[in-house]
């Protein structure tokens, strides 16, 4: 490999045709308000554990829509409910996290 | 009094005997099952409590006052109390007097089970009836008392509001059968005794009826059919009893000694919990109490339906009901028999399986050491930062040496995890927090959130650390003269937060503190009847939009006081009310800090 003095970063393209969205579909069936997320990030900004594990319900939601593994974030949630209180769309975030913790296999 | 039927038997007693045998066998079997389901420690505790004369005496007193006289119902509504105690106590007295009659007049028949019940059929009056006239009078008196209670029960079907209860649980088919057979028993007994009153004697109720019937009916022809009907009504009632709400009659007699023995619910389905949900009389007090039932919504998610579905084993509904509840505890506070609605729901939530394990994220957190007071604000206070700021200002004004444990956030007390039923996960949070608090070397843990305060009080083991809520703490600062406050002329209505009031039993301290710094008014429903703000983290499945009406109903209750502003002692209540309230909502800490001189 020739050293050009720079490297190419890994592609971050998400091919929505190829990702597994089954978990997201399952989730919105059980927690319909999950559809209402507009990615404002209020949940992550208030999150008690975001400083430790980067937890944010917004990231969890985008993550499962892209078929990523969000279990490290889910397993750190203490269910304190601050994200529920600040969510401008009224998403039941605690129920969302608990449901995901249940349906992940 | 002499025996009229030489054999002492007539076929009409057979239905009664069948019903009685069935209900006794069923209850005995159920009791054995419950005792078998208890852990051996609980079983030992229960049996030992029966040997302790002090507890045994309390058991008897409680059973008498609760099951027969229905004292809690009298306290709630006089008419409601009379309706129940007239039937329960009257029936008990009739059975007791029946036995006394048999013992006095035909002592040889006392071994016959049915004799005291059908006494008037089997005996005939002789020339020394005077000895029995008091008993006859009492029999008729208690019968009249029961029938007045049944008349009230019928009136209740039409005019429910007279009894202080607005809504009742929808009766099941068998409940209706049980209800009508119960209503039928006593008028039929009166008729049966009336038709035989010229043979076996009677008193003010039965003798005039006997005379009246003789004028146009004649008595002999109707004697047997009414005794048959009376016996059949008893049989029907006792045969459906185990499958209806009337099961609370025998179940409560087991619940009271078990509770007095100090037993706790350990599973939502077995042992003590089973006694609890069989003790639910379906009175519907919890429907009116429940903050979710505003505008007649969510009625089927009240504790009365939880007990019903637990008896049926309807898994889908049990899950729905237990996830929806706000866990405000009002149903438990008002329940006449003490069914622990919130506790059963938490245990029910604990039965769920989670495939994603919990890893405590804040294990490397450290704390400033060697301060006397450790202040813990909690997650919700971080959303209403003015509470934390005002408390720390107050502490500085009082020259208290303190440090703020979670100033940078990142710590949860574990209560939300606990109420979600993830008990082991909550214990992991508790263990880490205990370590952190004990490391700090503080002697007082000051908590400004009642949700955390309840968790610290009940689930934490912190030797040498006093856990105090900020309300008594500030009260103490004023008492010892470390801060001084003057009274403002704004009038506040105090809202009792669920976790502080019903959860920790703190009602007077906040009022005392608020009264020192401002005027105070009371809402229509306050203290243990205070209405949940609707923001509670207890509910898992209630969405934001579904909570709006609950918050508005709770606010309407507070507006009844006509106060200028609302005061509360919980950051979650404050944040929830502030969203919809038409007047300022303040925490007591903010009010006190403003008034410090």
């Amino acid at each position: 490999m020739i050293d050009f003095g720079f490297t190419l970063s890994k592609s971050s393209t998400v091919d929505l045709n190829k990702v597994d969205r089954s978990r997201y579909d399952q989730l919105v069936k059980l927690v319909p308000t999950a559809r209402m997320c507009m990615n404002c990030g209020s949940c992550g900004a208030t999150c008690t554990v975001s400083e430790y594990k980067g937890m944010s319900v917004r990231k969890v939601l985008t993550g499962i829509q892209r078929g990523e593994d969000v279990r490290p974030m889910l397993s750190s949630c203490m269910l304190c409910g601050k994200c529920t209180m600040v969510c401008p769309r009224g998403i039941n975030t605690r129920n969302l996290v608990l449901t995901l913790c249940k349906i992940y296999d | 009094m002499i025996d009229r039927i030489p054999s002492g038997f007539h076929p009409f007693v057979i239905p009664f005997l069948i019903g009685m045998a069935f209900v006794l066998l069923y209850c005995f079997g159920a009791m054995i099952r419950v005792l078998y389901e208890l852990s051996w420690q609980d079983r030992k505790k229960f049996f030992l409590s029966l040997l302790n004369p002090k507890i045994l005496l309390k058991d008897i007193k409680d059973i008498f006052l609760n099951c027969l006289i229905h004292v809690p119902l009298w306290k709630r509504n006089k008419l409601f109390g009379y309706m129940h105690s007239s039937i329960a106590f009257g029936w008990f007295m009739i059975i007791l007097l029946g036995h006394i009659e048999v013992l006095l007049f035909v002592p040889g028949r006392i071994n016959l089970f049915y004799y005291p019940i059908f006494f008037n059929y089997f005996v005939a009056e002789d020339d020394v009836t005077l000895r029995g006239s008091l008993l006859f009078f009492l029999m008729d008196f208690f019968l009249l008392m029961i029938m007045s209670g049944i008349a009230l029960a019928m009136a209740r079907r039409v005019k429910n509001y007279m009894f202080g209860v607005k809504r009742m649980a929808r009766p099941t088919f068998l409940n209706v059968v049980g209800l009508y057979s119960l209503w039928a028993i006593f008028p039929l007994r009166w008729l049966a005794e009336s038709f035989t009153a010229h043979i076996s004697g009677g008193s003010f109720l039965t003798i005039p009826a006997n005379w009246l019937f003789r004028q146009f009916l004649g008595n002999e022809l109707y004697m047997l059919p009414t005794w048959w009907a009376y016996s059949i009504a008893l049989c029907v009632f006792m045969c459906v009893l185990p499958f209806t709400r009337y099961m609370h009659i025998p179940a409560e007699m087991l619940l009271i000694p078990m509770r007095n023995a100090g037993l706790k619910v350990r599973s939502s389905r077995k042992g003590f919990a089973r006694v609890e949900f069989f003790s639910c009389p379906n009175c519907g007090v919890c429907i009116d109490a429940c903050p979710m039932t505003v505008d007649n919504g969510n009625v089927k998610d009240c504790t009365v339906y939880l007990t019903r579905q637990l008896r049926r084993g309807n898994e889908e509904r049990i899950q729905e009901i237990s996830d929806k509840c706000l866990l405000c505890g009002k149903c438990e506070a008002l329940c006449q028999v003490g069914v622990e609605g919130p506790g059963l729901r938490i245990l029910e939530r604990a039965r769920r399986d989670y495939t994603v394990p919990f890893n405590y994220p804040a294990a490397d957190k450290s704390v400033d050491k060697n301060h006397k007071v450790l202040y813990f604000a909690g997650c919700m206070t971080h959303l209403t930062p003015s509470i934390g700021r005002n408390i720390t200002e107050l502490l500085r004004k009082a020259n208290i040496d303190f440090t703020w444990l979670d100033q940078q956030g990142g710590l949860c007390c574990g209560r939300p995890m606990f109420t979600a039923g993830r008990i082991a996960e909550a214990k992991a949070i508790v263990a880490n927090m205990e370590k952190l608090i004990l490391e700090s070397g503080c002697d007082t843990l000051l908590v400004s959130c009642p949700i955390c305060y309840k968790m610290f009080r009940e689930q934490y083991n912190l030797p040498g650390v006093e856990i105090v809520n900020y309300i008594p703490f500030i009260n103490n600062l004023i008492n010892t003269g470390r801060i001084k406050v003057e009274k403002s002329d704004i009038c506040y209505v105090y809202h009792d937060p669920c976790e502080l009031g019903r959860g920790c039993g703190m009602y007077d301290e906040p009022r005392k503190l608020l009264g020192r710094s401002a005027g105070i008014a009371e809402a229509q429903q306050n203290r243990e009847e205070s209405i949940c703000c609707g923001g509670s983290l207890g509910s898992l499945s209630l969405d934001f939009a579904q909570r709006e009406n609950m918050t508005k109903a709770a606010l309407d209750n507070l507006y009844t006081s006509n106060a200028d502003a609302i005061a509360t002692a919980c950051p979650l209540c404050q944040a929830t009310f502030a969203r919809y309230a038409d007047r300022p909502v303040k925490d007591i800490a903010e009010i006190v800090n403003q008034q410090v001189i």
Side-chain angles (χ1 to χ4, degrees), chain A residues 26-41:
Chain A
Q26 212 179 336
L27 176 73
V28 291
K29 227 177 266 168
L30 294 166
V31 189
T33 49
R35 275 184 205 278
M36 288 160 70
C37 180
M38 57 180 190
N39 287 304
C40 71

Side-chain angles (χ1 to χ4, degrees), chain B residues 484-560:
Chain B
K484 283 195 172 63
V485 286
E486 61 174 3
K487 212 166 164 166
S488 84
D489 48 7
I490 303 174
C491 181
Y492 287 93
V493 55
Y494 175 65
H495 164 75
D496 286 284
C498 309
E499 303 269 34
L500 192 65
R502 288 181 290 262
C504 302
M506 199 185 284
Y507 297 109
D508 294 319
E509 291 262 3
R511 287 182 167 79
K512 198 169 133 201
L513 181 57
L514 185 62
R516 280 169 154 171
S517 43
I520 188 163
E522 290 292 345
Q524 196 181 18
Q525 294 189 52
N526 56 6
R527 292 176 180 258
E528 53 275 337
E529 296 204 20
S530 140
I531 303 172
C532 173
C533 68
S536 169
L537 291 174
S539 173
L540 301 180
S541 62
L542 271 183
D543 287 338
F544 183 78
Q546 293 170 292
R547 295 171 186 248
E548 186 179 335
N549 281 347
M550 300 169 199
T551 310
K552 285 181 174 163
L555 279 170
D556 283 339
N557 172 51
L558 294 173
Y559 294 159
T560 56

Side-chain angles (χ1 to χ4, degrees), chain A residues 52 75 79-80 92 94 101 104, chain B residues 355 357 359 361 365 416 537 540:
Chain A
Y52 304 103
S75 67
L79 297 175
C80 71
N92 192 345
R94 297 171 74 232
C101 283
Y104 244 103
Chain B
T355 45
N359 292 318
K365 187 95 179 173
L537 291 174
L540 301 180

Side-chain angles (χ1 to χ4, degrees), chain B residues 86-384:
Chain B
S86 64
I87 299 174
F89 183 65
W91 201 356
F92 171 75
M93 285 311 288
I94 280 193
I95 296 169
L96 185 74
L97 289 170
H99 282 82
I100 293 174
E101 280 182 336
V102 174
L103 278 175
L104 270 180
F105 300 122
V106 277
R109 301 290 194 189
I110 192 66
N111 54 343
L112 292 175
F113 208 53
Y114 52 84
Y115 230 72
I117 313 295
F118 303 107
F119 180 73
N120 280 21
Y121 181 81
F122 288 108
V123 293
E125 224 176 358
D126 56 9
D127 46 356
V128 279
T129 44
L130 205 58
R131 255 168 52 187
S133 58
L134 177 68
L135 283 174
F136 290 162
F137 170 78
L138 285 177
M139 278 301 228
D140 273 17
F141 173 75
F142 285 114
L143 194 60
L144 183 68
M145 189 165 135
I146 299 174
M147 289 202 287
S148 69
I150 285 174
L152 283 174
M154 290 174 180
R156 191 190 164 200
R157 303 279 135 181
V158 193
K159 299 207 177 218
N160 206 355
Y161 57 87
M162 274 166 39
F163 297 82
V165 180
K166 287 196 206 92
R167 287 168 285 190
M168 278 190 284
R170 219 182 115 88
T172 59
F173 173 70
L174 279 177
N175 274 340
V176 175
V177 174
L179 180 77
Y180 288 156
S181 55
L182 179 65
W183 283 0
I185 289 171
F186 300 100
L188 283 172
R189 185 187 165 107
W190 171 60
L191 280 179
E193 287 191 338
S194 298
F195 284 126
T196 43
H198 61 290
I199 305 171
S200 55
S203 189
F204 67 93
L205 212 58
T206 38
I207 288 187
N210 182 279
W211 175 83
L212 189 71
F213 294 143
R214 196 164 56 227
Q215 305 308 311
F216 61 99
L217 283 176
N219 287 319
E220 268 69 14
L221 195 58
Y222 297 94
M223 209 148 75
L224 263 179
T226 45
W227 281 104
W228 267 101
Y230 171 51
S231 174
I232 290 169
L234 279 169
C235 170
V236 171
F237 179 69
M238 286 190 285
C239 285
V240 297
L241 182 135
F243 316 107
T244 63
R245 64 202 186 97
Y246 299 103
M247 189 62 187
H248 78 268
I249 302 167
E252 212 185 336
M253 287 196 266
L254 186 61
L255 178 75
I256 289 171
M258 281 190 162
R259 187 183 301 128
N260 286 347
L263 265 54
K264 298 265 181 302
V265 279
R266 291 181 202 283
S267 137
S268 58
R269 306 281 176 95
K270 287 179 180 171
F272 189 50
R274 192 186 294 282
V275 189
E276 254 186 27
F277 60 74
F278 273 101
S279 296
C280 171
N282 286 216
C283 64
V285 167
C286 53
I287 300 181
D288 288 338
C290 184
M292 297 196 299
T293 60
V294 54
D295 297 336
N296 278 332
N298 306 311
V299 170
K300 297 230 157 168
D301 300 301
C302 291
T303 304
V304 49
Y305 286 97
L306 176 71
T307 59
R308 187 178 285 180
Q309 301 300 352
L310 280 170
R311 284 177 68 168
R312 284 186 191 158
N314 182 342
E315 295 296 331
E316 199 184 322
R317 286 287 295 132
I318 294 173
Q319 179 164 348
E320 195 185 336
I321 295 174
S322 46
D323 280 1
K324 208 180 238 180
C325 175
L326 295 158
L327 304 182
C328 74
K330 193 171 168 185
C331 54
E332 190 184 347
L334 296 189
C335 183
Q336 311 300 314
V337 292
V339 176
E340 294 162 80
L344 286 176
R345 282 174 172 100
I346 292 177
L347 287 167
E348 195 53 51
R349 290 172 186 182
R351 292 163 62 94
R352 316 236 196 290
D353 286 326
Y354 293 96
T355 45
V356 179
F358 172 70
N359 292 318
Y360 185 70
D364 51 351
K365 187 95 179 173
S366 63
V367 58
D368 271 2
K369 291 187 175 60
N370 299 324
H371 294 279
K372 276 201 163 313
V373 175
L374 190 64
Y375 170 49
F376 182 78
C379 302
M380 285 303 142
T381 312
H382 282 281
L383 283 184
T384 48

